[in-house]
Amino acid sequence: MAYQDLREFIRALEKNGELKRIAIEVDPKLEMTEFADRSVKQGGPALLFEHPRQHSAPVLINAFASMRRMEIALEVKSVDEVAARIVEFLEMRMPEGLIGKLKMLPKLAEMGAFFPKIVSKGPCQEVVQKDGFNVLDFPVLQCWPEDGGRFITLPLVFSRNPDTGKRNCGMYRMQVFDERTCGMHWQTHKQGAEHYRRMGKQGATRMDVAVAIGADPATMYSAILPLPPDLDEMMIAGFLRQSPVEMVKCQTVDLEVPAQAEIVLEGYVELGELRTEGPFGDHTGFYSLADEYPVFHITCITHRKDPIYATTIVGPPPMEDYYMGKAIERIFLPLMRLQLPEVRDMSMPPEGIFHNLMLVAIRKSYPGHARKVMHAIWGTGQAMFSKVIVVVDEDVDVQNYSEVSWKALNNIDPQRDIEFALGPVDSLDHASRLPNFGSKMGIDATRKWPSEGFTRPWPGVIEMSGDVKQRVDELWKKAGL
Ligand SMILES: Cc1cc2nc3c(=O)[nH]c(=O)nc-3n(C[C@H](O)[C@H](O)[C@H](O)COP(=O)(O)O)c2cc1C
Ligand SMILES: [Mn+2]
């Protein structure tokens, strides 16, 4: 059964021993970060701070911060189950003949059941504040000492594509400037920024934006998925939770938000208005520098009577977002393999912060195959940000970073095997020659073939023969070892 809301998810975490309530007073300014950071690094539970200093709303953090919690969030035994369900849908073709078509009906009905449903009221509007509100009434964290202020870190930011009318939901952090103004940190490649550019082209002066904080876990998770533009995250959330997301119309803007959300900020972004946002201790483990970003003006705050404030911190890896990203890696692998069936597995180690390092194992079939795969990845959605791609043969386990380092480093002649490309890079890359533009490197660490100009013999990996291993198994004890 799908979780109705954040509370049901919290109860499930608690029942599974994955959540700790913190009864003592803790300051949302820095102290909660230190708690959350230590906890995630020790493999500790999600934390629910019941008494944030000077605030009444409890603070939930690290709710997704382990693979077990990701499984509880998505209600699966392994996130691979989600991948399998996606493949099942993608492979669904209209079968021949009436009987075959009839057999399809339940599947199609199931698909229909994913579409979000508009409802006339929702708990997220139990309290409606059209004036006299203050977003800082919520326990918004200052995450790190040199942060430019307090940041809302788990917001579901809703906007509409003015050309297609399609909704988007992305997670873009928001620095709180004052009681009713925040930064809107949608990076230039993201859909919120695209909507903003299109609104500008149409000569609009304001863009409606609504922000939901705290919802059922599938809905929250859908906001970070690297989906194609114009694919409704709320539909994907419905697919993940196998039940439609209930949406309610906002009070002051022409957008809908999840009816079961804890807190909703309604408002607008003024076209052309920019303000310095940051610095912010980011998921690279470095501070992102202050930069100019649009400003979000709040026109109305709605919330539950007793809202819970959901948040996260990012910083030196691994943090909560590593586990959210690891689940994306597993869930999106089958989608990647639709385009690139030669890919056997791929992995993004925590220290690579997703965009800095991707390890890919392929079944190599023709000369230059590894380079073809690199370019395909650089041409695919948010995988375009991959700064370093290491391509290995399929016998290398890319989840085993020590095996990859050992084999890849042995297999390369650097000058011959490195491919450089120029293109868009992650906005958080502080080393690129320009913001958002720089170089990327592919390392072809596959075994080289004569058809690639390599005519020397290629040695095999050292392995003991099976019969000797077996014999030593017996001798081992006799030797007193
Ligand atoms: C905790 C967290 C914070 C994030 N903050 C930002 C952010 O501030 N700006 C941004 O552009 N992307 C941020 N992201 C990544 C986006 O949510 C992600 O790229 C998403 O796919 C964007 O959706 P879109 O393609 O609909 O724009 C964050 C992700 C997580 C998990
Ligand atoms: Mn999107």
Side-chain angles (χ1 to χ4, degrees):
M1 269 289 279
Y3 303 115
Q4 172 100 332
D5 52 23
L6 188 67
R7 285 132 206 263
E8 284 195 10
F9 177 43
I10 289 174
R11 280 196 286 276
L13 289 173
E14 207 162 16
K15 210 179 77 197
N16 285 280
E18 290 284 338
L19 180 129
K20 175 94 176 82
R21 290 175 184 269
I22 310 284
I24 55 169
E25 185 184 90
V26 179
D27 201 330
K29 192 172 168 227
L30 304 179
E31 285 182 0
M32 287 190 187
T33 297
E34 186 59 20
F35 270 92
D37 187 21
R38 284 194 203 181
S39 182
V40 72
K41 300 280 195 299
Q42 295 170 7
L47 304 175
L48 186 67
F49 296 101
E50 296 181 315
H51 297 291
R53 182 153 199 211
Q54 288 172 354
H55 294 275
S56 53
V59 177
L60 176 69
I61 198 161
N62 282 351
F64 298 94
S66 73
M67 286 321 278
R68 178 74 193 111
R69 263 164 264 159
M70 282 307 311
E71 290 156 9
I72 296 170
L74 300 174
E75 298 176 275
V76 288
K77 290 217 173 61
S78 149
V79 293
D80 294 331
E81 280 176 38
V82 180
R85 280 184 55 221
I86 294 176
V87 171
E88 196 187 315
F89 261 95
L90 293 172
E91 284 176 349
M92 193 167 81
R93 303 248 191 295
M94 198 42 100
E96 293 297 310
L98 187 62
I99 302 286
K101 285 196 174 75
L102 284 174
K103 279 192 186 149
M104 281 284 288
L105 283 178
K107 270 262 158 271
L108 290 175
E110 198 186 312
M111 204 150 77
F114 303 151
F115 287 100
K117 200 165 88 185
I118 301 271
V119 295
S120 58
K121 18 180 224 241
C124 73
Q125 295 179 343
E126 280 170 357
V127 177
V128 176
Q129 295 176 285
K130 291 194 177 156
D131 39 42
F133 52 75
N134 182 356
V135 66
L136 287 169
D137 285 345
F138 301 110
V140 180
L141 270 54
Q142 180 188 336
C143 302
W144 295 102
E146 288 170 39
D147 281 4
R150 291 163 65 178
F151 286 80
I152 299 170
T153 53
L154 274 183
L156 311 181
V157 178
F158 290 87
S159 60
R160 206 183 292 288
N161 181 331
D163 296 325
T164 63
K166 296 248 169 73
R167 159 172 54 224
N168 189 69
C169 174
M171 186 166 286
Y172 319 120
R173 72 162 186 249
M174 294 160 58
Q175 179 173 356
V176 179
F177 294 135
D178 58 45
E179 307 83 64
R180 47 198 308 145
T181 353
C182 299
M184 185 47 80
H185 189 260
W186 48 47
Q187 295 156 359
T188 189
H189 315 98
K190 309 298 171 74
Q191 285 311 297
E194 176 64 17
H195 294 179
Y196 176 82
R197 279 190 292 271
R198 290 186 184 212
M199 293 289 283
K201 276 220 180 81
Q202 294 190 359
T205 56
R206 281 182 177 188
M207 168 177 166
D208 282 353
V209 174
V211 176
I213 305 169
D216 73 274
T219 301
M220 288 171 74
Y221 189 60
S222 72
I224 73 163
L225 299 179
L227 302 175
D230 277 3
L231 181 55
D232 185 4
E233 279 80 6
M234 294 304 102
M235 209 268 278
I236 298 302
F239 173 84
L240 290 175
R241 64 201 293 274
Q242 303 194 56
S243 175
V245 180
E246 292 183 350
M247 304 291 287
V248 69
K249 282 199 184 314
C250 287
Q251 300 279 323
T252 60
V253 294
D254 181 25
L255 288 165
E256 300 94 38
V257 283
Q260 302 289 342
E262 297 290 322
I263 300 164
V264 176
L265 313 176
E266 303 182 2
Y268 62 90
V269 166
E270 193 90 36
L271 273 293
E273 183 192 9
L274 299 177
R275 186 164 163 178
T276 305
E277 194 264 10
F280 175 68
D282 223 313
H283 82 147
T284 54
F286 291 80
Y287 283 98
S288 338
L289 306 175
D291 200 358
E292 300 293 295
Y293 273 89
V295 181
F296 175 60
H297 297 272
I298 305 172
T299 50
C300 174
I301 295 182
T302 77
H303 58 85
R304 288 177 179 246
K305 280 196 210 99
D306 53 347
I308 297 170
Y309 179 74
T311 193
T312 189
I313 53 150
V314 292
M319 287 286 197
E320 182 168 17
D321 66 310
Y322 167 67
Y323 298 96
M324 299 165 108
K326 190 71 187 172
I328 291 182
E329 176 196 298
R330 295 294 91 198
I331 293 170
F332 279 71
L333 178 63
L335 290 167
M336 186 182 194
R337 294 188 53 185
L338 280 182
Q339 284 296 318
L340 297 170
E342 61 268 57
V343 170
R344 311 310 294 169
D345 195 9
M346 64 98 149
S347 172
M348 291 177 281
E351 295 78 6
I353 323 291
F354 313 116
H355 63 271
N356 285 336
L357 182 59
M358 186 186 282
L359 312 175
V360 189
I362 64 165
R363 178 170 293 168
K364 180 165 163 176
S365 303
Y366 44 78
H369 201 159
R371 290 174 198 251
K372 175 261 194 179
V373 168
M374 295 167 198
H375 288 283
I377 292 168
W378 286 326
T380 305
Q382 292 185 40
M384 71 176 163
F385 300 131
S386 305
K387 178 142 83 172
V388 176
I389 300 175
V390 182
V391 184
V392 292
D393 286 309
E394 62 180 319
D395 61 299
V396 182
D397 175 7
V398 290
Q399 305 300 334
N400 181 340
Y401 307 139
S402 120
E403 183 183 345
V404 174
S405 317
W406 159 45
K407 289 185 176 166
L409 293 169
N410 269 296
N411 282 0
I412 56 168
D413 173 303
Q415 195 179 37
R416 182 195 60 204
D417 292 332
I418 287 176
E419 176 93 5
F420 289 108
L422 276 176
V425 301
D426 196 292
S427 299
L428 299 185
D429 191 315
H430 58 241
S432 58
R433 62 205 65 195
L434 287 170
N436 301 311
F437 178 71
S439 68
K440 307 160 206 205
M441 178 172 78
I443 302 176
D444 175 359
T446 60
R447 173 185 182 151
K448 302 304 165 325
W449 292 0
S451 50
E452 293 173 319
F454 187 87
T455 49
R456 296 174 60 205
W458 192 279
V461 169
I462 300 169
E463 243 185 317
M464 184 45 71
S465 42
D467 52 336
V468 174
K469 277 192 185 176
Q470 220 172 357
R471 176 141 173 74
V472 171
D473 280 346
E474 289 157 21
L475 293 178
W476 191 259
K477 275 219 182 83
K478 280 196 194 147
L481 288 164

